[in-house]
Structures are given as C-alpha cells and as structure tokens.
Amino acid sequence: MKKTGLLVANGIMFAAMLASCGRTAGTGNAIDAKVDALPENAYVYRGQQSEQVVMYYSSIMYTLRDQAREYLGKEKFGIQAGDTEDEMLKKLHDAKAVWGIMSPTSSAGTVYPTYYLYQHGYTLGFKTRQEYDALSDADKEKAMIGIEQGTYPDGIDSLMTGTIDVTCGFMDTRYGSAYVQSGTKYEKREELFTNTYTIAVTDPIMNDTVSVRASLSDKKREAISKAFKAATKDGDINTEGTAAWTLYMIYSHTGYVDAKDSDYDSAKEMYKWSEAQKGNNVTIPTNVTYDSKDTTDTEKKIKIQLVPSNDASELENRAKALAPKLSSYVNNEYTFEITVAPSTGGYELTTQSLVAGQIDAGFLPAASYASAFISNPGKVDVLLSASRAGYKVQAEDFPGFTEEAKILQRKAMNGEIDANGKDIA
C-alpha cells in the first residue's frame, strides 16, 4: 500500500536533506549563549532524578530559547511563557522548523511525537523538506518537516549548533544523553536546560525491553535475567566503573523486572496506529505459536545487541566493560558478547537480527518489540522490562498524565511556575 505518513531519512542522506531544508547551522554553540535568568521563585529543573522507580517514561520535544537562537544567527520563533501548545506548534510550523526525529520504531524519538502532532491537527506527521514542498497548501498545514537526527546525543548537538530546530527524545535526553555523560562537552552544563525550551510532554511510554529470540533455551533466558538483575546491584549509578553505573550510562536503566507479552499491549496498539498513518493496515496477531525452544546449548556464548540510541563508540566501550561482568554473575557458565548495531537503521537491524536468530537477545524499545511481535509472530519473546529512576518533576512534584499534569511538567521545565505549581507573573 502507498505510504503517506512518517518518513525518516537514511543517515547517509542527512547532509543533503539539511541543504534541501534551506537551513544551515549558525556559528558557535548555543550552550554558550546568555539568556535571561529565571525569577527567584521559579521551579528549577536540571533533570533531577526521583527515588521512585518507574516502569514508564515520556517523550519530550524541546527547542532553543529565542536568545539562544539569536546567538547562532537564527530567526526567533517568538515562543514565550503563556503560549499554549497549539500556539507554539503553529509558530514552529509557520517558520518551517526542522524537527530531529529517530528511527520509525523509536517510541520516544518518533512514534509518540508523531501521535502528539496528530492529536494537535498535524495528521500527516513528519515529511522531508522535498515532500513537504510537494504538498498542497492545505496538506502543508497538516505536516511538519522532519529529518533523522542520528543518536540522541547527535540530536542535542544538532539543536545546540542550529542544524535542527526541535529535537524529540526520551525524558530527558538533555540529562541522560548529555548532562551526566562523563567526558562530553555538555557534561554538567546547566545551559542545556536554561537555554532550551520544552514544548510538550507526551503520554507515558512503556520502558525498554530485553527481548530474546523465541527459540532461546530456558537456561540462557535464566542466565540473561540473572546477569542483568545482578548488574544493577553491583555498585550504583554514581560510582563510575561499576556495572550499575555502566548500565545507567548506556540506557539510564536502574533495574530489570520479569516481563510478559501482555505488558506491551498498549505499545502494539500504538504501533498499529503509526502504521495506519503510513497507509498500512496491520492486524495484531492472537493465539501466536512460538518457535520451539532449544533444549540444549551447544554454544556457551550469549550474543546480545544494543540499539544505537546513544553515541556508538561510547556504547561499544561500555559494552566491552559490561560483558565480562555479566559472565561472572553466572559463574562464567556462559560468555556474554555485546555488540552495537550501526547508527543507520540500528533499531530495525537489531530486530531483524533477533528474528533471524543471529543474536540471542536485544535491547528493544517498546515500539520495536511491538513491530517484531506483529510482523514476525512467534519469533521474539519479551524477557525483561527495564525500570528507571523517575524524573522528579514527573514522578513526584507534578505527577500524572492528565493534560493538566503534563502542562505543569512542561511549565516546570521552563521555569514558568513555582514549586507549588502556581504561574509566575
């Protein structure tokens, strides 16, 4: 069927597409821009973590504040405190803002932002600039310009250097993919928060999975479960070099719990919706027959693959450090081998490798698991669900996912309310 909805560019087309957007990066980095200080009584957001462990996260979308855009020689969007989300979206649309998005099956980087736009009248989702220009005037009012931003750190850097105008990602890429990442140019830079402006917070998204090929033996499943649960207890997220710290640096995971397929029913429904936007009518399989499990393990190696949501070289370094620790937690009965999928098409490649039985397990976002379940029934099982420390602004201070709660979370990130949730004049 004809596909008319989401379209994410191939990574090799990145530069060419930027040129077609008619926008180039400005001089410098918005991290160095000076913006007006927040009022003294404003809620201060720096990605603070909660002690509450949650089984969900959200996607957020954010842009640069106008003063930071000016620093880069970019035109103002005119977004200001008091604007509704519809008003902000119209300003971005009318200025032909370029949105950085992720793989088509990335829940936080593409699927939920697209659904958010759909709910606000932009029913054609993200289009390349060439596709956007080819639309009728009426259809242009229903679309935003989107390009693949690479990894989440790439998206942050592209925003801060003016290559893109909006970035989409998990809550909060500024914190998890930059602020706490040691040795990076954005480490502990508060300007990541003060110089940017949150546009919206989405509905909750189920946490990432550790999914396995359906034919994997029970013994290997038990080994994977035991090893990863043990890793989260080995040290802590603040002690560099420990297994717990390494896992946190990879995907911000702080724990793992046993999971079952039905836990991800909402992800399947969202995947079905996103495919419908592309003209694809999919049916969620029922009464699935899974591949028979291996009864013996002729190979004592467990092959695991990471999707490249963060810097690939850093992921590879951390994977190499983590693998022998995982092996030790199962008394070296099995040897863990962890690889990182290529940045271009990485989410889909990991899913394909799992379906083909080339790897034993993969870290799949909820949407990728849903895609695998629907497209290849009986080939993939969900084994574990990740747990995370919640973001304090969402888990404690302004909890919930009503429209009112999400607006308060957005305003708090922007310093537009006080600690009691009252608007600051």
Side-chain angles (χ1 to χ4, degrees):
M1 295 186 178
K2 185 178 180 182
K3 297 184 178 182
T4 58
L6 280 173
L7 183 63
V8 182
N10 187 307
I12 62 174
M13 297 174 63
F14 187 78
M17 290 183 64
L18 286 177
S20 73
C21 288
R23 290 175 175 268
T24 55
T27 301
N29 190 309
I31 201 75
D32 299 316
K34 302 298 182 185
V35 303
D36 293 338
L38 297 176
E40 288 186 5
N41 61 331
Y43 183 98
V44 176
Y45 175 74
R46 299 291 185 267
Q48 295 91 337
Q49 304 293 278
S50 168
E51 292 184 0
Q52 294 186 25
V53 173
V54 298
M55 301 304 299
Y56 60 82
Y57 62 104
S58 290
S59 171
I60 67 167
M61 293 144 271
Y62 56 93
T63 186
L64 292 177
R65 292 181 183 267
D66 275 345
Q67 287 172 303
R69 286 183 62 80
E70 282 186 302
Y71 180 82
L72 297 178
K74 309 285 284 186
E75 294 180 4
K76 295 181 179 180
F77 285 138
I79 292 173
Q80 57 190 352
D83 282 352
T84 66
E85 290 174 16
D86 283 329
E87 289 169 339
M88 287 188 282
L89 290 173
K90 179 170 175 53
K91 289 177 180 180
L92 292 168
H93 173 272
D94 292 351
K96 294 184 171 58
V98 177
W99 294 59
I101 54 179
M102 297 287 283
S103 155
T105 57
S106 170
S107 298
T110 302
V111 177
Y112 278 70
T114 305
Y115 184 60
Y116 171 82
L117 291 181
Y118 183 89
Q119 292 174 306
H120 288 264
Y122 298 90
T123 54
L124 294 182
F126 295 107
K127 300 290 184 182
T128 67
R129 179 57 183 265
Q130 184 177 3
E131 289 178 322
Y132 181 87
D133 287 343
L135 294 174
S136 67
D137 288 344
D139 280 347
K140 284 179 180 176
E141 294 300 318
K142 305 173 187 176
M144 292 285 189
I145 300 169
I147 62 173
E148 186 177 357
Q149 62 188 5
T151 65
Y152 287 127
D154 291 336
I156 296 166
D157 195 55
S158 293
L159 179 71
M160 301 306 288
T161 55
T163 302
I164 61 175
D165 300 309
V166 184
T167 183
C168 304
F170 67 84
M171 184 176 171
D172 184 326
T173 58
R174 291 171 294 190
Y175 183 85
S177 292
Y179 188 75
V180 298
Q181 293 293 328
S182 59
T184 68
K185 62 183 173 182
Y186 297 118
E187 181 185 8
K188 302 302 181 186
R189 291 296 301 266
E190 293 194 356
E191 293 85 357
L192 284 166
F193 307 101
T194 60
N195 293 8
T196 54
Y197 194 89
T198 300
I199 298 163
V201 179
T202 71
D203 292 333
I205 306 169
M206 276 298 294
N207 273 347
D208 297 341
T209 74
V210 178
S211 294
V212 299
R213 58 179 173 86
S215 58
L216 193 68
S217 70
D218 283 335
K219 286 197 68 176
K220 282 191 173 180
R221 292 171 190 243
E222 291 167 6
I224 293 170
S225 180
K226 180 179 179 179
F228 278 98
K229 288 178 180 178
T232 64
K233 306 297 183 183
D234 187 351
D236 59 70
I237 65 173
N238 297 310
T239 305
E240 187 169 347
T242 65
W245 177 88
T246 303
L247 276 172
Y248 189 75
M249 289 295 105
I250 290 175
Y251 289 140
S252 299
H253 296 170
T254 58
Y256 297 95
V257 297
D258 297 335
K260 57 185 183 298
D261 172 71
S262 59
D263 294 336
Y264 288 84
D265 284 349
S266 62
K268 295 172 200 169
E269 291 294 340
M270 183 60 76
Y271 177 78
K272 180 180 178 180
W273 173 85
S274 67
E275 286 298 299
Q277 306 317 299
K278 296 184 285 187
N280 298 331
N281 294 319
V282 302
T283 301
I284 300 174
T286 58
N287 301 319
V288 172
T289 301
Y290 288 88
D291 289 351
S292 299
K293 294 180 185 177
D294 298 336
T295 55
T296 58
D297 295 320
T298 55
E299 184 178 41
K300 295 299 182 180
K301 182 183 292 182
I302 294 178
K303 300 176 182 178
I304 297 177
Q305 190 166 88
L306 306 177
V307 295
S309 58
N310 284 324
D311 180 78
S313 62
E314 287 297 330
L315 285 177
E316 288 172 358
N317 289 337
R318 287 164 183 159
K320 288 178 182 177
L322 180 63
K325 293 179 184 291
L326 295 176
S327 302
S328 71
Y329 303 139
V330 294
N331 299 317
N332 295 305
E333 180 181 0
Y334 295 100
T335 301
F336 283 77
E337 177 183 276
I338 309 177
T339 58
V340 181
S343 295
T344 302
Y347 284 33
E348 287 70 39
L349 289 177
T350 297
T351 303
Q352 292 165 13
S353 296
L354 200 56
V355 168
Q358 297 168 339
I359 58 176
D360 297 313
F363 279 72
L364 299 184
S368 294
Y369 171 73
S371 170
F373 178 89
I374 291 171
S375 302
N376 300 276
K379 296 293 184 182
V380 176
D381 275 347
V382 59
L383 180 66
L384 300 172
S385 176
S387 59
R388 309 166 185 256
Y391 284 80
K392 190 172 180 291
V393 65
Q394 184 178 55
E396 294 181 38
D397 298 336
F398 307 104
F401 290 99
T402 63
E403 287 306 308
E404 292 77 10
K406 289 185 290 184
I407 289 171
L408 283 174
Q409 292 161 20
R410 169 177 63 81
K411 288 184 174 182
M413 290 182 185
N414 294 328
E416 296 171 355
I417 56 176
D418 62 22
N420 296 313
K422 301 299 183 182
D423 286 333
I424 296 174

